[in-house]
Amino acid sequence: MTKRDFFRIIIKLFGLYSLILTVFTYIPTNISYVTFQFEPIVLLWIFGAVALTVLVYILLIRKTDLIIDFLKLDKGFDDERIEFKNFNSQKIMQLALILIGGFLIIDYLPDFLQYTYLAFKKEVSPNGLNQLEDFSFGKITDYFNWVISGMNLIVGYILLTNYDRITKWLNRKEKTLGNTV
């Protein structure tokens, strides 16, 4: 594998990770702010930030070679090739998808468990028990963030269990893009 191919894979996987975080974290969190207090400037700010994120994603996925040339990432190495022995681009992509899925689970499992506890506490004692109030850390039951953390756990699980299929799908997209350019 050449150094250029390696940096291509890394940049595309970073773009995929950024898209997942944007779709499942940034957008839902900011839309929840709009639902509590509607202000046009906030909505405009959210659309602008999402548009910027989508443009960065498109740049990272479609213009990878331009980024490598601009940053000169493949220059200054002694060898042209990186030897990973049994690692090819497909294996590296599989490893990256496993890491992304693992990070999603590690990041959102504590939040999901906390929101589950708070929802359970609310259902068990709707009138409120003073003994249990001390353990909630001043947070109210937040079903929206509970659902978002649950969705991130599901996406992480899907990435961990289907990394081979996703890798084949991403490589298929790369080959069809290479044929059209």
Side-chain angles (χ1 to χ4, degrees):
M1 167 186 297
T2 65
K3 297 206 176 2
R4 189 171 197 83
D5 292 337
F6 176 74
F7 286 119
R8 229 183 250 133
I9 291 168
I10 297 298
I11 290 171
K12 286 185 179 191
L13 289 174
F14 179 73
L16 180 65
Y17 183 68
S18 299
L19 179 70
I20 289 171
L21 285 180
T22 300
V23 169
F24 291 109
T25 303
Y26 180 76
I27 293 173
T29 301
N30 287 313
I31 288 179
S32 71
Y33 294 135
V34 171
T35 59
F36 290 123
Q37 185 177 15
F38 180 76
E39 291 184 24
I41 191 72
V42 174
L43 194 59
L44 184 63
W45 174 257
I46 292 170
F47 285 136
V50 169
L52 179 67
T53 306
V54 169
L55 287 174
V56 167
Y57 170 73
I58 290 171
L59 179 73
L60 289 173
I61 297 298
R62 301 272 179 153
K63 303 294 182 184
T64 310
D65 290 326
L66 182 68
I67 294 170
I68 292 171
D69 290 338
F70 178 73
L71 296 175
K72 299 177 184 168
L73 293 175
D74 58 345
K75 306 292 185 227
F77 291 101
D78 294 337
D79 297 331
E80 178 62 28
R81 301 190 58 77
I82 298 175
E83 296 299 327
F84 286 111
K85 301 291 180 198
N86 293 332
F87 270 112
N88 56 13
S89 63
Q90 185 173 0
K91 298 264 186 198
I92 293 172
M93 197 172 291
Q94 288 174 347
L95 177 65
L97 287 172
I98 290 170
L99 289 174
I100 290 171
F103 284 143
L104 285 173
I105 289 174
I106 289 170
D107 286 345
Y108 290 99
L109 185 62
D111 290 342
F112 182 77
L113 293 176
Q114 180 183 13
Y115 291 128
T116 303
Y117 165 74
L118 293 174
F120 177 73
K121 184 180 94 169
K122 182 178 177 185
E123 290 299 318
V124 170
S125 63
N127 297 331
L129 296 174
N130 290 335
Q131 304 94 308
L132 292 176
E133 290 297 321
D134 296 335
F135 296 112
S136 68
F137 306 109
K139 293 187 177 183
I140 59 170
T141 305
D142 189 358
Y143 294 111
F144 185 77
N145 286 331
W146 188 25
V147 170
I148 296 302
S149 61
M151 287 173 51
N152 280 307
L153 286 175
I154 291 169
V155 169
Y157 176 76
I158 289 171
L159 286 175
L160 282 175
T161 57
N162 296 312
Y163 62 88
D164 191 39
R165 287 187 205 146
I166 296 170
T167 301
K168 289 177 184 173
W169 180 77
L170 288 173
N171 283 336
R172 179 187 57 84
K173 287 288 187 182
E174 181 179 303
K175 289 177 184 174
T176 58
L177 287 174
N179 292 337
T180 58
V181 175

